[in-house]
């Protein structure tokens, strides 16, 4: 499989970067081709422009400003997202990636008959989210209702193949995670992606 591995963290020495490295290593060892899209390193602009927003319902929608990224997404069979959760949500750069790249004509099309959204990313058969939270498990799941998982599973995943394999691996309470917990999480990531 060809995997688009998207890293959304500004620090190259971050734990997220270590997770992305581990994921890449495991995927490549299993024979997959990995295309690393480091949003910060590649200076991805997450801002949806006025022109883009005004043309959102035009067909065809103009994605020329993000054409390279769109081509990389369309060439992929799988998508692996690596990011921290900040304020129980995606980092702004990853949200902007969805806003600008998961656009009409790329991730979906508008059904002219009734405004229904028709999925277009049927090439994506695998979606993994590898993430960390500063909050403990109980706060993310019981109090907040795990909003990032809901957005990915009910939103982004719906644009992909009907036979999509979805999985989310999270290290909770990251701010207090010991070296042993971090190492165990990296081993968990490696094992999960080696089985893809």
């Amino acid at each position: 499989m060809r995997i688009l591995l998207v890293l959304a963290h500004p620090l190259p020495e971050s734990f997220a970067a270590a997770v992305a490295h581990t994921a890449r290593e495991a995927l490549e060892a299993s024979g997959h081709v990995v295309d690393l899209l480091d949003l910060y390193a590649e200076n991805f602009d997450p801002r949806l422009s006025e022109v883009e927003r005004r043309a959102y319902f035009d067909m065809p929608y103009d994605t020329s400003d993000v054409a390279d990224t769109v081509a990389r997404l369309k060439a992929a069979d799988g998508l692996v997202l690596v990011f921290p959760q900040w304020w129980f949500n995606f980092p702004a750069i990853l949200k902007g990636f969805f806003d600008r790249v998961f656009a009409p004509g790329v991730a979906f099309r508008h059904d002219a008959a009734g405004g229904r959204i028709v999925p277009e990313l049927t090439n994506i058969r695998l979606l993994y989210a590898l993430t960390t939270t500063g909050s403990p498990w109980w706060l993310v799941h019981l109090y907040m209702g795990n909003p990032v998982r809901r957005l990915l599973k009910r939103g982004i995943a719906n644009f992909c193949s009907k036979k999509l394999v979805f999985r989310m691996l999270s290290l909770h309470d990251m701010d207090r995670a010991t070296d042993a917990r971090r190492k165990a999480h990296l081993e968990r990531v490696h094992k999960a992606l080696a089985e893809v």
Side-chain angles (χ1 to χ4, degrees):
M1 259 200 284
R2 182 174 181 83
I3 307 291
L4 182 61
L5 175 60
V6 180
L7 173 60
H9 198 291
L11 304 177
E13 72 280 5
S14 68
F15 186 68
V19 169
H21 175 77
T22 299
R24 183 178 198 167
E25 219 173 53
L27 288 164
E28 288 178 342
S30 294
H32 301 289
V33 175
V34 178
D35 176 8
L36 175 62
L37 171 56
D38 183 332
L39 295 172
Y40 282 95
E42 295 190 27
N43 203 27
F44 180 81
D45 184 353
R47 297 171 301 165
L48 187 68
S49 71
E50 179 181 343
V51 170
E52 287 169 321
R53 182 58 196 136
R54 287 191 187 281
Y56 208 72
F57 291 94
D58 293 350
M59 284 320 232
Y61 178 73
D62 182 9
T63 57
S64 58
D65 285 348
V66 289
D68 178 61
T69 309
V70 166
R72 292 164 77 178
L73 178 63
K74 285 186 169 186
D77 304 300
L79 181 61
V80 176
L81 307 170
V82 181
F83 60 96
Q85 293 182 43
W86 291 334
W87 292 103
F88 304 100
N89 210 327
F90 304 110
I93 201 165
L94 184 57
K95 176 62 169 67
F97 169 76
F98 296 138
D99 289 346
R100 297 190 71 212
V101 178
F102 281 60
V106 177
F108 64 94
R109 65 182 159 81
H110 299 286
D111 179 6
R116 203 174 117 250
I117 290 180
V118 179
E120 290 284 322
L121 276 179
T122 54
N123 55 300
I124 302 295
R125 301 184 323 249
L126 172 131
L127 173 59
Y128 274 34
L130 311 175
T131 184
T132 58
T133 69
S135 300
W137 181 93
W138 68 267
L139 186 62
V140 173
H141 288 264
L142 304 178
Y143 183 72
M144 293 301 294
N146 205 353
V148 167
R149 180 181 175 81
R150 277 198 335 266
L151 287 168
L152 288 170
K153 185 76 172 155
R154 296 179 188 173
I156 301 299
N158 283 327
F159 297 131
C160 302
S161 168
K162 287 186 188 271
K163 296 181 180 181
L164 180 76
V165 174
F166 174 80
R167 188 160 183 201
M168 186 164 162
L169 299 175
S170 302
L171 176 61
H172 297 287
D173 213 5
M174 176 64 186
D175 299 339
R176 291 182 288 274
T178 63
D179 286 342
R181 277 191 65 223
R182 290 178 191 207
K183 183 179 178 195
H185 184 71
L186 290 176
E187 289 169 359
R188 184 175 162 221
V189 165
H190 192 279
K191 182 174 189 269
L193 291 173
E195 294 171 354
V196 167

